[in-house]
Structure formats: C-alpha cells, structure tokens
Amino acid sequence: GVLLVSLFTSSFVSAAPAQAQIIHAGQACVVKEDNISERVYTIREGDTLVLQCLVTGHPRPQVRWTKTAGSASDKFQETSVLNETLRIEKIQRLQGGRYYCKAENGVGVPAIKSIRVDVQYLDEPVLTVHQTISDVRGSFYQEKTVFLRCTVNSNPPARFIWKRGIETLSHSQDNGVDIYEPLYTQGETKVLKLKNLRPQDYASYTCQVSVRNVCSIPDKSITFQLTNTTAPPALKLSVNETLVVNPGDNITMQCSLMGGDPLPEVAWSHSPGPMPLHSLVQGGNLTIWRIRVEDSGYYNCTAINNVGNPAKKIVNLLVRSMKNATFQITPDVIKESETIQLGQDLKLSCHVDAVPQDKVVYSWYKNGKPAKFSDRLLITRNDPELPPVTCSLEIIDLRFSDYGTYLCMATFQGAPIPDLSVEVNISSETVPPTISVPKGQSTITVREGSRAELQCEVRGKPKPPIIWSRVDKETPMPSGTMTMETYDGKLHLESVSREMSGTYKCQTARYNGFNIRPREALVQLNVQ
C-alpha cells in the first residue's frame, strides 16, 4: 500500500521554478566574497577553469552560460554554452570577466547567478636604457643622465624593486638616484634615474617585479650591466633606400652594425605580408632569389639592444612590372562634343599600370608606322585630366586622312620586361556608347538560393566594359567589392540571398572607350 501511495503522490508533484547556484571545480587560487552579493574567483593564467551551475526545479531547467566582455577582443560572449558545466582549458587573461548562469524551465522567472573570474598573470619585465648628455657652464664639462626604464604587464599591479648589484635602491639613501612612475605609459612602468653619472654608477642594475606570490606566481627580474661604453645601435645599408630590380633577379641587401653596446640583435622584416619563401637572412644580410613582383614592398632592417631607440633602415624594393594597358578617346572638350566629328579636335590616350610608373616610355604608331608629328599631331605626357603618367596623342582639326588604326606601345628601356600595346580604331564608324536594358529584363524576380542574371546591352564602337554597382545601399556587391566589371554586360549572381535584392546600376567604364560622361541604366532584382 505504501508503495502505491508514493507512486501515486509522485505523479502529482507540482511544477517548481528554477533555482541555481554556481560552484567551482577547477584550479582556483582563492575564492573570496566581495561585499555581500559578488563572488570573485581568482585563477592563474594557463590553468583550467571549471564552473558548475547546480540547478533545481521541475521540469528540469535548461542552463545557458554567457559572459559580459572583459575585453572587446574576447569572443566568448558571442557563443553561449548550453551545459551545466563550463570548462575553459588554459584560460587566458582576456577570458576574465563576469560569467552568468541562467536556468529556465518555463515556470516563474528564470534563475540567474553570476560570478566574477579574475585571471592573474605576471609577464617578463622589459628594461630599456636612455642616456642624455647636457653641457654644463658653456661646455666646461658634460653631465650624463641615464634613465633605466622597467615595464611589465601583470594582474594584480606589480610591485617594483630596483637593485644595484645586490643592494636595494631607494630615493632616500642616495641623492644621485630618483625612482618615479612616468605618466602616459602602456603597462606598468618604473623609471630609475641616475643623475650626472659617477664612477660607482657603472654597475649591474636589476629590476625585480612581484605580484606578492598571488596564485603562487613567482617574482621575475631582468638585469642590465651599465658601462661607460653603453650605446644605442647604429646601422648602415649596402643599397639605396629605393631599389629597383627586374623579376627573376637574385639580390642581397647588407645591413651592417656600426655601433651599439651591448651587441644589438639585427632582424629583417617585410611589409605588407611575411618575408618571401625564397629568401634567407644571415646576420644582417638578406638574400632573395628569383625575385617576383609580389616580393616588392618595404624591407625593414632593425637593430635592438634596449639602449636608446631601435635603429631602423628601410629599403623600398620595387620589382619592375607592366600590366593593364588601357585607352580613352576624348572628343573635342572645348566644343563640348561627345562624338567624333571632322574639323574638330580629338585626343587618344593610353596608360599602363607600371612599377616604377615614371620610367615607362610610350610610342605611337599609325597603320603600323611610327606616327609623324606635326602642328596637327601633338604628343603630351601627364595629361592633368587623366590618370598619372598617361600619354596622349592629340589630333587637331580631324581630317578624313586621320582615320586609321592607332597603336600605343609602352616600353621599359633596358629592362627585360615585355612591351605592352593597345590598339584604337578611328573611323566614321567610331561612335560613343549607348546603354539599355533588354526588353522585359528591367525587373528580375528569382527565388532565394537560385541564380540570377542581370543584363545591360551596350551599343557603340568601341564597346567599353560595363561597371556594376548597387544603388540603394552602401553595401558591396556579392563579390565583396563595391563595383564589378563585366565585358559582355551580364552580371551573374550565384545562390541569391534576400540581402541581394534591390536596384543595380550598370554604367560604361571611361577606359577602352569614350572618355565622356558614363551612360547608365538600372535593373531591379526581387528575391522571393
């Protein structure tokens, strides 16, 4: 009978709201209660954090862990953990902050408990030395002042102890010594100032930092031997600060130490991007084999010995290259014309993207022969209305005999780079472009996930490329860029999403065609 009763009663247990409590099961150093409401859980960086949310309630509550940002670069608050146990291996300083456990079962209000996690750490200190020399009374004698600057990152804030040899230094005992905290510094910093140096100041100095053994983190220290030869690094380069080379060359840049005590370390770096794979650094020498265009950029040689500022030499390495030959046809600007007409002026311009841009030599040909210059045929470089280093051929008072095929050729003289050329045909058929949307294509409706094709038709000769962009949003095209270029006027969109719906603009490019106001048209994309 009793058994029956207990079964009977248990099936009528009433619903109970969720309740929660947080306990820790990881490697805590100390858990302390701050005032009444807040629990602070201290852990050493690199240890494992385990928090458990103990919940009661009927039905059994769902548990969700979230965190408020202790730091903007922390990613955890974007994800939440659906589990009663939260475990973080090798916790990092950025993962400190307040953790919340929310238990909810649909009965009454959810239970929310929080705990603050404080991550403790002590990095290696960095010691730098700065020396100043000032003339006293004319220049009878010189006074030398030395600043030893010790910086460390820690939590909690570190305590600094300065030592000369084995004796601890303080303000009071030595009037040649000042210890102070500078304003506006990153991390925690203490400066030991040695005013007008005396012989006994040439000694070994140690900066010791301590977080008073919290989480049993040991003290750390760094030592510097100050001598009368202590000096910042100095460098000399074997090449010019701008170095122009041909693709395929092997080059060596020497960066030699000219001074520095203690002996500086010399390092090479490259920006943007990492060092080329086919390069080798030996001491101060950097060798790059079979150099490619993508190896160009700034090469920095840096020498550091923590005295004064690092010495730095920068080589701007340019690898010769030429690409993207384009042309423009400009009708008579003075007569505000947009078409080519006999009796008016006409300008043909050509441009290549080159490194170094100003070393490109352009030459013009008409119907396969070098163009003959006269008072009616002028050549100008660097037209102010066009991209830099563009070469233009101007025809004054266009005549029938000027019709023909013009070729512009770009050359790097004395360099093994192939020439680039572009052809422009001028005849009575050369007409500016018009753009239109084919009939029935001005609104395209597709289902989400399918593909879409937007189309603009260009007539005219020559036909310039078409540039597509979005009208109604400051959003990029599906490719991620703000504009997309097509040669046939068709814009293909794969697996269309609802964000892609809206108005698209197609317009004629100003190159490989007429240099006039772009022609444009609109296409509407509806995504269902």
Side-chain angles (χ1 to χ4, degrees):
V2 176
L3 180 64
L4 268 177
V5 170
S6 67
L7 278 171
F8 192 68
T9 51
S10 69
S11 63
F12 285 102
V13 168
S14 61
Q19 290 188 314
Q21 170 197 359
I22 296 176
I23 62 165
H24 70 85
Q27 298 167 281
C29 311
V30 57
V31 177
K32 59 178 186 286
E33 306 283 341
D34 261 18
N35 46 51
I36 303 131
S37 57
E38 167 131 289
R39 298 180 68 208
V40 181
Y41 170 30
T42 310
I43 184 169
R44 184 164 70 175
E45 185 168 56
D47 283 354
T48 299
L49 173 74
V50 181
L51 297 178
Q52 278 177 331
C53 194
L54 302 183
V55 295
T56 57
H58 187 81
R60 187 158 180 78
Q62 282 272 327
V63 176
R64 183 183 289 270
W65 283 96
T66 54
K67 171 179 181 290
T68 50
S71 139
S73 53
D74 191 2
K75 284 285 180 285
F76 179 66
Q77 69 270 19
E78 291 171 17
T79 58
S80 52
V81 175
L82 288 163
N83 197 339
E84 288 172 26
T85 302
L86 172 70
R87 183 183 180 92
I88 299 178
E89 306 270 349
K90 295 197 176 69
I91 194 164
Q92 296 302 301
R93 60 195 65 177
L94 293 178
Q95 292 171 304
R98 185 188 300 264
Y99 286 82
Y100 291 89
C101 137
K102 178 181 183 182
E104 147 173 61
N105 64 357
V107 181
V109 291
I112 299 178
K113 284 284 188 286
S114 77
I115 189 165
R116 205 176 85 220
V117 174
D118 196 16
V119 182
Q120 317 267 296
Y121 55 90
L122 176 65
D123 289 347
E124 294 291 337
V126 175
L127 197 156
T128 55
V129 181
H130 295 266
Q131 311 182 96
T132 60
I133 295 174
S134 53
D135 290 340
V136 181
R137 296 191 205 133
S139 52
F140 267 150
Y141 71 99
Q142 289 182 323
E143 255 182 18
K144 193 172 193 181
T145 305
V146 172
F147 301 87
L148 295 148
R149 181 187 183 118
C150 184
T151 302
V152 72
N153 292 314
S154 73
N155 178 33
R159 184 179 60 185
F160 290 79
I161 300 165
W162 280 103
K163 294 179 180 172
R164 177 193 284 140
I166 53 170
E167 63 163 326
T168 301
L169 290 173
S170 68
H171 276 312
S172 43
Q173 74 197 51
D174 184 335
N175 61 3
V177 171
D178 242 351
I179 297 175
Y180 64 91
E181 208 164 297
L183 296 164
Y184 316 119
T185 52
Q186 282 297 98
E188 302 159 62
T189 303
K190 274 276 197 294
V191 174
L192 172 70
K193 179 182 177 185
L194 305 168
K195 300 174 280 200
N196 47 21
L197 236 58
R198 307 155 299 183
Q200 71 260 36
D201 291 327
Y202 292 116
S204 172
Y205 292 89
T206 299
C207 166
Q208 183 178 334
V209 290
S210 161
V211 286
R212 300 168 190 75
N213 218 20
V214 299
C215 286
S216 56
I217 296 176
D219 293 1
K220 297 191 171 170
S221 63
I222 184 164
T223 300
F224 187 86
Q225 184 78 39
L226 184 69
T227 68
N228 60 0
T229 57
T230 296
L235 289 174
K236 189 178 115 198
L237 266 181
S238 66
V239 294
N240 292 339
E241 287 180 350
T242 300
L243 184 62
V244 181
V245 297
N246 293 320
D249 285 1
N250 300 332
I251 58 153
T252 297
M253 299 183 266
Q254 283 176 329
C255 187
S256 322
L257 273 175
M258 306 305 287
D261 182 6
L263 189 68
E265 282 192 25
V266 179
W268 280 95
S269 63
H270 176 235
S271 66
M275 294 283 271
L277 289 173
H278 40 268
S279 65
L280 177 69
V281 176
Q282 282 176 309
N285 289 0
L286 166 64
T287 304
I288 308 173
W289 289 278
R290 298 182 304 285
I291 205 154
R292 306 164 309 167
V293 170
E294 46 270 39
D295 299 332
S296 50
Y298 291 95
Y299 287 83
N300 308 309
C301 168
T302 312
I304 298 178
N305 67 353
N306 287 354
V307 178
N309 295 319
K312 199 170 202 172
K313 292 281 183 195
I314 299 180
V315 180
N316 182 12
L317 184 71
L318 302 173
V319 182
R320 286 192 184 93
S321 69
M322 261 199 305
K323 58 181 196 298
N324 297 346
T326 55
F327 69 85
Q328 297 189 349
I329 303 169
T330 309
D332 201 325
V333 180
I334 297 159
K335 299 209 168 77
E336 292 184 358
S337 176
E338 289 208 335
T339 57
I340 299 178
Q341 292 171 26
L342 295 175
Q344 291 190 357
D345 300 350
L346 177 69
K347 187 161 65 181
L348 307 179
S349 314
C350 120
H351 174 81
V352 290
D353 294 335
V355 176
Q357 189 79 60
D358 53 347
K359 293 285 185 279
V360 176
V361 176
Y362 292 97
S363 43
W364 286 91
Y365 296 83
K366 180 189 173 188
N367 298 334
K369 299 192 180 102
K372 291 203 169 54
F373 309 120
S374 63
D375 48 359
R376 283 185 50 254
L377 207 58
L378 315 173
I379 286 206
T380 53
R381 270 184 79 109
N382 294 343
D383 191 316
E385 297 159 25
L386 295 164
V389 200
T390 295
C391 185
S392 296
L393 175 74
E394 242 174 304
I395 304 171
I396 311 294
D397 179 21
L398 184 71
R399 297 176 188 168
F400 187 76
S401 59
D402 296 321
Y403 284 163
T405 301
Y406 290 85
L407 180 112
C408 159
M409 185 175 284
T411 313
F412 264 139
Q413 289 183 321
I417 308 280
D419 298 345
L420 279 186
S421 61
V422 59
E423 232 176 39
V424 192
N425 209 22
I426 299 295
S427 71
S428 57
E429 286 153 33
T430 307
V431 288
T434 58
I435 201 164
S436 62
V437 178
K439 202 166 179 226
Q441 299 274 303
S442 57
T443 302
I444 303 289
T445 302
V446 293
R447 284 178 58 177
E448 190 162 40
S450 60
R451 48 194 307 274
E453 182 183 276
L454 312 187
Q455 197 177 345
C456 281
E457 273 180 2
V458 184
R459 293 197 170 75
K461 197 172 173 187
K463 275 190 197 173
I466 296 295
I467 294 169
W468 287 88
S469 58
R470 298 190 65 164
V471 176
D472 39 0
K473 304 191 182 81
E474 276 296 300
T475 42
M477 300 289 286
S479 65
T481 52
M482 292 313 283
T483 59
M484 270 172 82
E485 191 174 292
T486 65
Y487 285 93
D488 60 359
K490 291 177 184 171
L491 178 66
H492 297 284
L493 303 174
E494 302 293 329
S495 61
V496 174
S497 68
R498 64 196 72 182
E499 286 80 36
M500 293 185 196
S501 59
T503 311
Y504 288 76
K505 176 169 78 177
C506 58
Q507 63 177 28
T508 54
R510 292 183 62 166
Y511 52 90
N512 294 353
F514 276 72
N515 176 26
I516 53 177
R517 221 176 48 248
R519 309 294 194 240
E520 51 185 60
L522 301 176
V523 180
Q524 175 75 28
L525 175 66
N526 295 332
V527 181
Q528 296 180 332

